[in-house]
Amino acid sequence: MVLTPSFVSAEPLRVTGITHYHNGFLILVNLTSNDTTQLWFFEPGKGFRLLNATFPELTFIHSTGDRVMLYRNLSEGPYLQNFELYTYDGKLHFLGNYSETNNWGVGSRIYWNGRFYLFLEADWSTQRGDYYNWYAIVGNKIYKVFPPNSDSSLYLLGVWELPGGYFVEGEDPMSYQDQLFLIAFKGSRIVFRNLTPANLSVGRLCFNGTHFAALDSNWFKVIFYNASVWEYYLQLISSNGNYQLIHVDSFAKEKGEHVYLDLLGYREGAWVIRKYKYWCNRTGSYSRKCLERTLNYFLVSSESAKKLDNTSNLTAFCIRSKPQPVFGGEVPIKHSYSLVLKGENVTINGSLLLYDGKSFKLPFNATIADCGNGCLLSNGEELAYFDGYTVKPIKLPVNRAMIRWLSLLGVTFALLFIGGLAKARRR
């Protein structure tokens, strides 16, 4: 490839990405003449620095402040797409090539919990969009944690955040059992554990600030395998994955029609479970009326389950925290979190910036913004910086020395290439 001055020029630039990085911002700039991408670093008060004049055509996904995740789309069509994942910490690290689709709204996903990423790659080898390969991305390394082999697969049911890791829920397509898994990073290793008790299906999760709880049952055994007794247990789970089962209730299959148990949450040192009956009566050819009646409550601690008659409506709190999504449906999730500067929300409405009860006029309609170190904004062509007090237009510098150096290098390379061709022809 012959290098030309267009690698760094005064021609119109297209800003394609901004993200905070250390004490400033990384900026992706595309040169319109030859579709070359440059990587710049802008530090407020110090100016610009060109980090890479021939950066790959990548897109920012997320920044932790000292490391940035990026991707490159390798497909032209809207379905069954392929993409590459990278991290950047002063050097570009390749994490691999993966599959993606936005077919029926299903695609690969990436979550961030403040410590490491959970990457769920949509597995379309089975033509099922609810099968995923699970990866943990820690620093500049990626680890596959599920499935352990090609014969294992789960329908994805949900992803939940816990201190230092994730809970992932999935359903076994063969047994219909709902299963729970822990993915955590401790010390220098990834911890992956199956927290599913034998012969039980894991139910709704709740968090009380120190422990998680799930109401487990053998419903799949009763419905699909003709078990004769309904069994319910409360599973108490610590953040390191250790758990304890407390028996809550059991009753014969014939007495369980329309009877349900629901984990309401935590209250005054105990977990609250409601047992109720729910049924529907037909009121017309195309209508019905559904009713429910509380039968009793259970207060469950680590020692026992105490049954309470239906004397009053009990309430409890249940915390279910989802991790921050940063990638999904083939593109980064740009608005997965609000713009915040010094603890105050920043709202951008076209050319108007709202902050701390005040409004500020921007020199353009901003479409790209990051407020990790002040706010750097762009409309794709221009840049402006907001420090919380004033808005200042800024310009990328034109590096003339770089132009001359690249031009000389390009001419030298071209002459060597032409001379090599001439020698080859004479031979």
Side-chain angles (χ1 to χ4, degrees):
M1 178 180 67
V2 178
L3 302 178
T4 68
S6 62
F7 275 92
V8 182
S9 68
E11 65 174 285
L13 304 175
R14 182 166 58 92
V15 176
T16 60
I18 297 172
T19 193
H20 60 281
Y21 181 70
H22 290 293
N23 295 323
F25 300 88
L26 293 179
I27 307 171
L28 289 173
V29 177
N30 183 261
L31 302 182
T32 56
S33 64
N34 60 4
D35 211 25
T36 300
T37 300
Q38 298 177 344
L39 179 66
W40 290 80
F41 177 68
F42 170 71
E43 187 172 358
K46 295 185 178 180
F48 288 90
R49 181 156 47 99
L50 180 62
L51 301 180
N52 194 318
T54 57
F55 200 68
E57 190 176 351
L58 303 178
T59 301
F60 291 136
I61 293 179
H62 181 257
S63 174
T64 67
D66 57 1
R67 182 177 287 106
V68 176
M69 179 176 286
L70 311 94
Y71 88 109
R72 172 159 53 184
N73 186 5
L74 301 176
S75 301
E76 297 179 358
Y79 305 125
L80 299 176
Q81 302 194 19
N82 294 321
F83 65 96
E84 296 174 340
L85 276 179
Y86 296 83
T87 56
Y88 180 85
D89 61 356
K91 295 181 179 180
L92 192 63
H93 305 271
F94 178 59
L95 298 182
N97 187 300
Y98 303 96
S99 64
E100 158 68 48
T101 180
N102 62 0
N103 205 3
W104 299 296
V106 175
S108 297
R109 315 174 190 183
I110 301 177
Y111 297 94
W112 169 249
N113 70 347
R115 292 198 63 189
F116 68 98
Y117 296 98
L118 174 64
F119 171 34
L120 303 178
E121 178 194 19
D123 181 7
W124 281 84
S125 62
T126 58
Q127 300 302 307
R128 291 297 303 250
D130 39 13
Y131 286 174
Y132 289 85
N133 298 313
W134 307 355
Y135 301 86
I137 301 176
V138 183
N140 300 315
K141 296 183 179 180
I142 186 166
Y143 306 87
K144 186 174 183 178
V145 294
F146 186 88
N149 54 64
S150 59
D151 296 329
S152 302
S153 60
L154 287 174
Y155 298 155
L156 184 70
L157 298 179
V159 179
W160 309 101
E161 182 178 339
L162 72 154
Y166 302 86
F167 281 137
V168 182
E169 295 178 282
E171 180 187 281
D172 186 329
M174 304 303 295
S175 68
Y176 303 100
Q177 180 188 28
D178 294 343
Q179 301 183 9
L180 180 67
F181 297 84
L182 166 72
I183 303 175
F185 182 70
K186 295 187 177 181
S188 58
R189 63 189 183 92
I190 291 293
V191 176
F192 179 71
R193 295 181 61 184
N194 187 342
L195 305 182
T196 311
N199 300 316
L200 292 177
S201 182
V202 178
R204 169 184 165 93
L205 277 172
C206 279
F207 184 55
N208 69 353
T210 60
H211 287 75
F212 289 84
L215 183 60
D216 301 348
S217 72
N218 67 336
W219 71 265
F220 69 104
K221 292 287 187 180
V222 175
I223 300 300
F224 299 107
Y225 299 96
N226 204 30
S228 59
V229 177
W230 288 89
E231 298 279 358
Y232 284 89
Y233 292 82
L234 187 70
Q235 184 179 5
L236 302 179
I237 311 169
S238 64
S239 59
N240 61 12
N242 295 325
Y243 70 83
Q244 176 186 5
L245 284 177
I246 309 297
H247 184 261
V248 177
D249 197 13
S250 59
F251 43 86
K253 179 179 180 179
E254 58 271 14
K255 294 183 179 180
E257 187 175 8
H258 306 303
V259 175
Y260 303 91
L261 274 73
D262 185 24
L263 175 60
L264 301 183
Y266 193 76
R267 170 194 176 105
E268 298 176 354
W271 296 92
V272 180
I273 297 173
R274 175 179 175 240
K275 184 178 182 179
Y276 64 100
K277 192 169 186 177
Y278 180 87
W279 71 99
C280 296
N281 298 322
R282 189 175 294 277
T283 58
S285 299
Y286 301 100
S287 61
R288 62 179 183 170
K289 183 178 181 180
C290 295
L291 303 168
E292 67 176 69
R293 177 169 57 90
T294 299
L295 300 176
N296 61 267
Y297 292 93
F298 295 94
L299 296 181
V300 185
S301 66
S302 58
E303 288 80 25
S304 62
K306 181 181 179 181
K307 182 178 178 180
L308 297 179
D309 293 332
N310 181 23
T311 56
S312 61
N313 291 328
L314 290 180
T315 59
F317 73 91
C318 175
I319 302 172
R320 305 187 85 203
S321 299
K322 290 189 174 182
Q324 176 190 332
V326 297
F327 182 90
E330 103 182 61
V331 294
I333 300 175
K334 298 179 181 179
H335 304 294
S336 58
Y337 56 94
S338 302
L339 293 173
V340 178
L341 177 61
K342 300 176 183 177
E344 298 288 339
N345 288 335
V346 177
T347 302
I348 298 171
N349 185 9
S351 62
L352 195 64
L353 185 150
L354 304 177
Y355 173 71
D356 197 21
K358 303 174 184 178
S359 60
F360 301 84
K361 181 68 175 176
L362 300 174
F364 46 74
N365 290 339
T367 57
I368 307 173
D370 187 292
C371 292
N373 296 301
C375 293
L376 187 61
L377 312 103
S378 177
N379 62 349
E381 298 177 355
E382 304 172 77
L383 290 166
Y385 178 71
F386 175 67
D387 59 3
Y389 305 98
T390 58
V391 176
K392 299 177 181 178
I394 56 177
K395 291 180 180 281
L396 281 167
V398 178
N399 194 331
R400 299 295 180 185
M402 180 67 77
I403 292 175
R404 290 192 294 270
W405 183 81
L406 289 173
S407 299
L408 180 60
L409 182 61
V411 170
T412 303
F413 181 84
L415 291 175
L416 290 173
F417 182 73
I418 294 171
L421 286 178
K423 288 183 179 179
R425 288 175 180 172
R426 285 198 299 270
R427 288 175 181 171

